[in-house]
Amino acid sequence: MTDPRHDHFALFDLPPRFAIDEASLEQAYRRVQGQVHPDRFAAAGAAERRVAMQWAARANEAFRTLRSPLARAAYLCERHGQPIEAESNTAMPAAFLMQQMQWREALDEVRSGDRAGAQALAREVEARRDEVLERVASALDERHDYAEAAAGVRQLHFIDRFRDELAAYLAGDEAGMQEH
């Protein structure tokens, strides 16, 4: 068994896979937190309280990582020797870069007040994100191709940044419409 001090999956006694049962993760998190929550150690010595706090923080970090599909995929890649290096490794396939440019142009066009166009773009981006996430899941759990999965995770970082920008525009557009 892998050391739970260093492995998120081992901490929660879950198989190290991308496909994860969220209810089991939540249940395991609650179980671990129940064992290490600092409140349980309020009457203990300072060293014991400090260790409990460290384990609780560790459980929180592991839970956040495994709950997020993107963070979980990145964690699995790194666990298998494929660091994501999203900031330094920005090499992308030409087709992906073209799509990014098309989305940027479309966003510039819809900023003129084309709410329906912005919503259609958001649906397109979400569908593409789902496709890439599905490809990453398959690379991780079926083919064990961590290099391909890492490339997909880097693409997801780009997609998520654009998705956040588009969501902020849509939220701002809604706020502006409510003011009138």
Side-chain angles (χ1 to χ4, degrees):
M1 178 177 206
T2 308
D3 187 346
R5 290 176 295 181
H6 305 291
D7 183 273
H8 295 345
F9 291 99
L11 178 63
F12 296 128
D13 196 27
L14 294 170
R17 295 179 44 81
F18 179 78
I20 198 166
D21 178 35
E22 291 181 27
S24 294
L25 173 62
E26 182 84 31
Q27 190 175 38
Y29 171 69
R30 279 195 234 112
R31 179 181 38 77
V32 169
Q33 276 294 9
Q35 294 169 351
V36 301
H37 197 278
D39 289 350
R40 290 192 66 200
F41 297 87
E48 227 179 328
R49 286 194 314 267
R50 188 172 41 257
V51 168
M53 196 174 336
Q54 289 169 344
W55 272 104
R58 167 89 177 81
N60 287 336
E61 174 195 347
F63 180 68
R64 272 192 306 275
T65 298
L66 297 183
R67 185 178 55 182
S68 161
L70 183 57
R72 183 171 63 246
Y75 178 73
L76 280 164
C77 288
E78 290 169 0
R79 190 173 184 264
H80 288 278
Q82 282 295 326
I84 301 304
E85 301 169 334
E87 278 68 38
S88 62
N89 185 350
T90 56
M92 296 286 162
F96 180 79
L97 294 173
M98 287 298 296
Q99 183 178 50
Q100 292 288 303
M101 289 183 357
Q102 289 169 348
W103 285 349
R104 291 249 162 243
E105 290 172 5
L107 180 57
D108 287 344
E109 289 174 19
V110 299
R111 284 186 198 268
S112 64
D114 180 5
R115 183 158 185 75
Q119 290 169 334
L121 180 59
R123 286 189 299 274
E124 179 185 332
V125 169
E126 201 61 36
R128 179 67 177 139
R129 183 181 191 277
D130 290 346
E131 287 172 18
V132 174
L133 199 53
E134 203 171 293
R135 194 177 75 237
V136 166
S138 176
L140 288 169
D141 287 351
E142 295 167 20
R143 294 188 308 283
H144 308 289
D145 186 340
Y146 302 102
E148 179 188 337
V153 168
R154 285 190 289 275
Q155 287 182 8
L156 286 167
H157 280 287
F158 275 82
I159 292 170
D160 281 358
R161 276 195 290 270
F162 182 79
R163 183 175 148 215
D164 292 347
E165 186 178 336
L166 181 55
Y169 165 73
L170 284 167
D173 188 41
E174 280 181 14
M177 291 173 65
Q178 290 173 357
E179 291 173 7
H180 291 14

